[in-house]
């Protein structure tokens, strides 16, 4: 049986880019959960608020991923911002990719996303939503946080591989605090004003 190496994070943090390169480097498969949901029709209904995304059927999705892991001789890289649907016993490590909210905002705007969707995701990154959900599902020993800000993919991969090989435990969760960093940059008040009230577009 293979275990899941989860690459989790807010949309746009670089999960696919990292997961693809890691998968080549380790010679193991990479599954993108959002793609799997579409390809295998593992969704229940269309989310009307976000018309371009589908609501996954969590039970079917979990079953499908567990099945892939049980039938795999090797570990599998699983990418998703809601990867916390995999039972903890199937998880080797959950790597949370973090990105400075301002850089994330630029990336999401480049995708042409709506103002509401951009703000929702930037705020979610600033407030550690993804990290919280990963900690609740897998526990602190399996969760690793990687700051991808101003790093190239090779540097990010090195940090992930060090953690997977157990060389160090430098990336224990909780050390990344965007609000503190934004405050040190003198932009906290402006940031919160801009993002905390999401108007209906
Ligand atoms: N380390 C990096 N440095 C600079 N740009 C990067 C880096 N990693 C990813 N990018 C760029 O950021 C954008 C988003 O990357 P990617 O699609 O990998 O994110 P994602 O987390 O998989 O997004 P989604 O949640 O929508 O699947 C892409 O244009 C990608 O080229
Ligand atoms: Mg992706």
């Amino acid at each position: 049986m293979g275990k899941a190496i989860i690459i989790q994070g807010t949309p746009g943090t670089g999960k696919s880019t990292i997961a693809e390169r890691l998968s080549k480097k380790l010679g193991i498969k990479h599954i993108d959960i959002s793609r799997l949901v579409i390809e295998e029709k593992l969704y229940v209904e269309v989310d009307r608020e976000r018309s371009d995304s589908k609501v996954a059927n969590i039970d079917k999705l979990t079953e499908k991923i567990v099945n892939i892991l049980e039938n795999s001789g090797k570990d599998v890289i699983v990418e998703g911002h809601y990867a916390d649907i995999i039972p903890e016993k199937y998880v080797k490590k959950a790597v949370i990719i973090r990105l400075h909210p301002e850089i994330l905002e630029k990336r999401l705007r480049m995708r042409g996303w709506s103002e509401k969707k951009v703000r929702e995701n930037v705020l979610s990154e600033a407030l550690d939503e993804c990290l919280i959900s990963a900690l609740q599902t897998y526990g602190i020993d399996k969760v690793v946080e990687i700051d991808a800000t101003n790093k190239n993919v090779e540097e990010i991969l090195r940090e992930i591989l060090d953690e997977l090989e157990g060389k160090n435990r430098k990336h224990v969760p909780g050390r990344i605090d965007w609000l503190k960093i934004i405050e040190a940059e003198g932009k906290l008040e402006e940031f919160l004003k801009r993002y905390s009230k999401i108007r209906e577009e």
Side-chain angles (χ1 to χ4, degrees):
M1 186 188 92
K3 284 202 166 189
I5 297 171
I6 292 175
I7 306 288
Q8 199 167 331
T10 309
T13 45
K15 298 180 297 295
S16 297
T17 312
I18 295 162
E20 268 160 38
R21 288 271 294 276
L22 189 64
S23 135
K24 283 204 186 104
K25 213 162 199 152
L26 296 176
I28 60 178
K29 233 165 71 165
H30 158 217
I31 304 172
D32 180 341
I33 291 184
S34 356
R35 218 187 301 157
L36 188 74
V37 169
I38 307 281
E39 282 172 5
E40 302 280 331
K41 299 198 167 50
L42 302 170
Y43 44 80
V44 276
E45 57 180 283
V46 173
D47 182 342
R48 283 183 193 84
E49 289 245 312
R50 301 174 188 81
S51 54
D52 58 339
S53 60
K54 304 251 191 313
V55 176
N57 180 330
I58 302 297
D59 291 343
K60 274 197 187 170
L61 183 54
T62 301
E63 195 184 310
K64 177 79 197 169
I65 295 174
V66 165
N67 192 269
I68 294 173
L69 291 168
E70 281 182 341
N71 290 299
S72 168
K74 292 179 174 179
D75 292 338
V76 177
I77 296 169
V78 183
E79 171 201 348
H81 49 268
Y82 52 102
D84 43 354
I85 44 163
I86 306 172
E88 190 255 328
K89 66 171 181 172
Y90 291 98
V91 175
K92 182 174 253 176
K93 278 274 185 232
V95 179
I96 318 300
I97 309 297
R98 307 300 308 268
L99 190 67
H100 190 299
E102 275 191 356
I103 296 175
L104 182 66
E105 178 184 350
K106 283 191 191 124
R107 284 195 197 170
L108 296 181
R109 286 200 191 287
M110 269 173 44
R111 290 179 168 184
W113 281 14
S114 72
E115 187 63 29
K116 182 170 184 241
K117 206 166 159 190
V118 170
R119 290 193 200 184
E120 205 170 72
N121 282 290
V122 171
L123 195 61
S124 162
E125 175 61 22
L127 298 178
D128 308 328
E129 254 188 77
C130 205
L131 173 68
I132 293 170
S133 90
L135 282 173
Q136 284 171 338
T137 317
Y138 316 118
I140 192 159
D141 292 338
K142 287 193 177 175
V143 177
V144 165
E145 252 191 317
I146 303 283
D147 183 359
T149 309
N150 299 327
K151 288 178 191 153
N152 63 39
V153 185
E154 205 49 47
E155 290 171 299
I156 298 166
L157 288 183
R158 191 67 264 153
E159 291 186 19
I160 295 176
L161 288 169
D162 281 354
E163 286 288 342
L164 291 177
E165 289 160 10
K167 278 195 187 150
N168 57 46
R169 190 78 176 99
K170 278 202 300 206
H171 305 91
V172 286
R175 291 188 180 161
I176 297 170
D177 185 343
W178 296 135
L179 295 186
K180 208 155 100 188
I181 289 170
I182 295 168
E183 185 178 30
E185 292 165 351
K187 298 177 182 167
L188 184 59
E189 204 177 334
E190 189 244 329
F191 178 87
L192 289 175
K193 270 192 189 147
R194 197 147 54 98
Y195 285 96
S196 54
K197 190 164 186 296
I198 298 173
R199 292 183 304 271
E200 288 299 325
E201 300 299 316

